[in-house]
Amino acid sequence: MKSLKAQLHSLADPEEELAILEERHPGGSESSFQKHLEQIGLFPLRPTPLQIFQINLGKMCNQVCKHCHVDAGPDRKEIMTRETMDQCLRIIQSESSLTTVDLTGGAPEMNPDFRWFVESIREIRPDVTILVRCNLTIILANPRFNDLPEFFRKNQVEVVSSLPYFTAMKTDSQRGDGVFEKSIQALKLLNEVGYGLKDSGLVLNLVYNPSGAFLPGSQSELEAEFKKKLWDKYGIEFNSLFTITNIPISRFLEYLIRSDNYESYMEKLLAAFNPVAAAGVMCRNTISVGWDGYLYDCDFNQMLDLKVDAPKTSHISDWNSAILSTRTIVINNHCFGCTAGAGSSCGGTIA
Amino acid sequence: MKTYYNPEDLKKFSKIGELQKSMADKFFSYYAEVFKEGALTAREKSLIALAVAHALQCPYCIDAYTTDTLEKGCDEEQMMEAVHVAAAIRGGASLVHSTQMMNKIKEISM
């Protein structure tokens, strides 16, 4: 499977995606995300103190997942340079309110400077949580990645990994043939060095997102089910399960339109709009850095090319905390994905 | 084409109160109570509902509880097993009545 970009698909163009999100929105502009925020007094949406610095190290990935909001894959060559990483390091050092550096991609480990970057972050900020969104199969993709669990342990990196289900059929249908079996092997390797084990201090969290046009169920119930099934069948342990709602952009948007589920999925998100979740959306305490150094309110806005609404500081090289802390967060109708039901963020539910 | 069942009608379910409000309110409040986590998990209740939906052959309920069981993290195998439970009980309900037939055969045969 190729990326939408390599297929020259119209939905590889953010403008096309935004046109669909606006023009085909159920109820039109009267039921837009902005209108919903206005009704609960949250518009314009403003940031809270910056805590999470999320960095996209590149769109290159060894997998081509059907729902990927990054449209990542082996055919994507966009990757963060060491120069941009250096600029990120300066911000990580100077922004003392930061508690978490969240490394994502693609497969962030495929960036040739990944290990140098992680070690540098750990050196300048021993206190910060470094989180890697690891797709698991990368650990087995090439012998040079086999020691990643040990590297993560050494640098006290938290591992967050997607596993859509505890059976092969559902996992492979979303993430590709053979992904489940390799993911199980990788989880065992992570357990072997202590990840996910009680009291080891090495955190291994899993991410569940629905494999279709429906919302995730209760995070705590799914976590209990995953823990039981993975332990009984494979002897695998992990810390927490995060449920994440699929955001209607990129490949998931393409799927929704192709399968004629777009309107009903959006209606579902709208009906489940939760003001408490809206107040806690992750874009309020996060800055997302693109592979090329541009700044966004979140990873989804990044993929839609919706840069922070602060033209003087829209690139990491022009970082200005004062301006960023008073910016207005850029929203659109895809944001309903984060406010439905118990809410959704890169760290699971929020309400 | 006109049909008796229209998926859009499922969304109007809550409007049944327009003709009889107090009974509808009581029904929906009871319904919400039934599906809450209790001695059975919400997930187990959803699978029971899916099986009953098939026994009753209610297209609205089948749509609703296929989505609900998926959302609650059930997989296709579990869902199909639930439908087989419904089928087994329905089939069994017919077959167990054959004992009455057998009794009658005995009664009136030489």
Side-chain angles (χ1 to χ4, degrees), chain B residues 45-57:
Chain B
K45 288 180 181 180
S46 187
L47 278 169
I48 293 170
L50 182 71
V52 175
H54 281 79
L56 296 175
Q57 294 175 308

Side-chain angles (χ1 to χ4, degrees), chain A residues 9-10 34-35 53 116 122 131 140 150 167-168 170-171 175 178 194 213 220-222 229 251 266 283 318 325 339 344:
Chain A
H9 196 289
S10 62
Q34 180 176 327
K35 282 269 160 24
F53 200 56
W116 167 81
R122 186 44 80 222
L131 201 147
L140 300 156
E150 186 52 33
T167 63
K170 273 199 157 173
T171 303
R175 297 176 74 77
S220 58
E221 276 186 37
L222 281 167
K229 287 282 161 53
R251 282 188 207 146
M266 291 306 294
C283 49
D318 306 313
S325 66
T339 57
S344 180

Side-chain angles (χ1 to χ4, degrees), chain A residues 303-336:
Chain A
M303 300 315 150
L304 289 170
D305 200 23
L306 298 169
K307 295 186 177 70
V308 285
D309 185 15
K312 284 184 183 158
T313 176
S314 67
H315 192 270
I316 187 94
S317 56
D318 306 313
W319 182 275
N320 182 320
S321 334
I323 298 178
L324 285 169
S325 66
T326 54
R327 74 191 193 277
T328 297
I329 292 169
V330 180
I331 53 162
N332 206 305
N333 292 331
H334 64 292
C335 303
F336 278 111

Side-chain angles (χ1 to χ4, degrees), chain A residues 97-282:
Chain A
S97 66
L98 280 183
T99 58
T100 304
V101 178
D102 182 340
L103 304 177
T104 186
E109 303 91 337
M110 287 177 89
N111 185 309
D113 292 315
F114 170 75
R115 294 191 194 215
W116 167 81
F117 191 45
V118 169
E119 284 166 349
S120 306
I121 300 168
R122 186 44 80 222
E123 200 182 312
I124 58 166
R125 285 292 299 270
D127 57 312
V128 91
T129 299
I130 306 176
L131 201 147
V132 169
R133 298 193 179 266
C134 171
N135 70 15
L136 296 173
T137 64
I138 190 69
I139 296 172
L140 300 156
N142 185 301
R144 74 176 196 276
F145 296 124
N146 291 168
D147 66 334
L148 276 171
E150 186 52 33
F151 173 80
F152 293 150
R153 188 195 63 75
K154 233 170 81 188
N155 291 282
Q156 295 288 298
V157 170
E158 251 187 59
V159 178
V160 182
S161 295
S162 279
L163 190 73
Y165 207 62
F166 42 75
T167 63
M169 188 165 93
K170 273 199 157 173
T171 303
D172 291 0
S173 80
Q174 183 182 92
R175 297 176 74 77
D177 285 342
V179 166
F180 180 73
E181 202 183 311
K182 283 184 197 152
S183 301
I184 292 294
Q185 279 182 52
L187 285 170
K188 285 182 177 168
L189 292 173
L190 285 163
N191 275 175
E192 264 173 38
V193 300
Y195 271 98
L197 307 191
K198 226 179 169 185
D199 306 325
S200 71
L202 297 169
V203 178
L204 168 61
N205 292 327
L206 296 183
V207 166
Y208 161 92
N209 54 307
S211 40
F214 53 94
L215 304 184
S218 148
Q219 184 167 278
S220 58
E221 276 186 37
L222 281 167
E223 180 182 289
E225 188 72 10
F226 266 68
K227 283 203 164 166
K228 187 179 177 324
K229 287 282 161 53
L230 288 178
W231 174 252
D232 289 353
K233 226 170 159 185
Y234 306 102
I236 287 169
E237 290 178 77
F238 67 94
N239 297 92
S240 302
L241 181 81
F242 300 151
T243 56
I244 298 188
T245 304
N246 288 313
I247 306 295
I249 67 168
S250 196
R251 282 188 207 146
F252 189 67
L253 176 62
E254 187 278 326
Y255 155 76
L256 288 175
I257 290 169
R258 180 168 37 84
S259 61
D260 203 18
N261 273 306
Y262 177 72
E263 273 78 12
S264 61
Y265 187 74
M266 291 306 294
E267 279 169 8
K268 219 176 227 294
L269 295 181
L270 269 144
F273 178 78
N274 178 353
V276 179
V281 280
M282 67 175 178

Side-chain angles (χ1 to χ4, degrees), chain B residues 56-73:
Chain B
L56 296 175
Q57 294 175 308
C58 164
Y60 300 118
C61 315
I62 292 172
D63 268 5
Y65 283 94
T66 299
T67 307
D68 194 64
T69 43
L70 282 172
E71 289 185 350
K72 292 201 162 46

